Amino acid sequence: MSAAVRRFKPLFDRILVSKAAAETTTAAGIVLPSNSAKAPNEATVVAVGPGFRNNDGECVPNAVKEGDKVLLPEFGGTKIELDGDEFYLYRDSDILGTLH
């Protein structure tokens, strides 16, 4: 992980993720052309904000932590580039679940 990513701290309930690379071969070993490989919906959490504030002013922590593997929606997130690497910002409520 680059120094810029380590210095980046998301605000509120935002989560910075690094998406997995698109699969270029099938389980049987067939090589897929680049235009047929769909965007991955799995990612690794790189950085997590402190959480959001509820109506009483209490901080509610995020449901995921750094290093978790998560399932993302097909569309959404904000694409950002840090030190030439591509990352995405999502809200905690946009994350569909964790993978174990």
Side-chain angles (χ1 to χ4, degrees):
M1 193 171 13
S2 68
V5 174
R6 279 180 275 191
R7 287 192 320 257
F8 184 82
K9 181 74 172 173
L11 297 176
F12 305 112
D13 65 336
R14 290 181 174 78
I15 297 167
L16 183 70
V17 299
S18 173
K19 286 190 177 181
E23 302 242 350
T24 57
T25 59
T26 64
I30 299 171
V31 177
L32 299 172
S34 61
N35 60 355
S36 71
K38 65 177 187 169
N41 61 346
E42 295 179 14
T44 302
V45 176
V46 176
V48 178
F52 68 95
R53 300 239 177 234
N54 62 14
N55 292 338
D56 297 330
E58 299 168 354
C59 186
V60 178
N62 290 320
V64 297
K65 60 185 184 316
E66 290 181 22
D68 283 353
K69 301 255 187 232
V70 294
L71 188 64
L72 302 171
E74 188 173 350
F75 300 103
T78 303
K79 180 179 168 183
I80 61 172
E81 197 168 308
L82 299 170
D83 287 347
D85 294 326
E86 213 173 80
F87 296 95
Y88 292 85
L89 270 175
Y90 286 90
R91 289 190 179 272
D92 184 47
S93 60
D94 291 341
I95 305 288
L96 301 177
T98 58
L99 302 169
H100 297 280

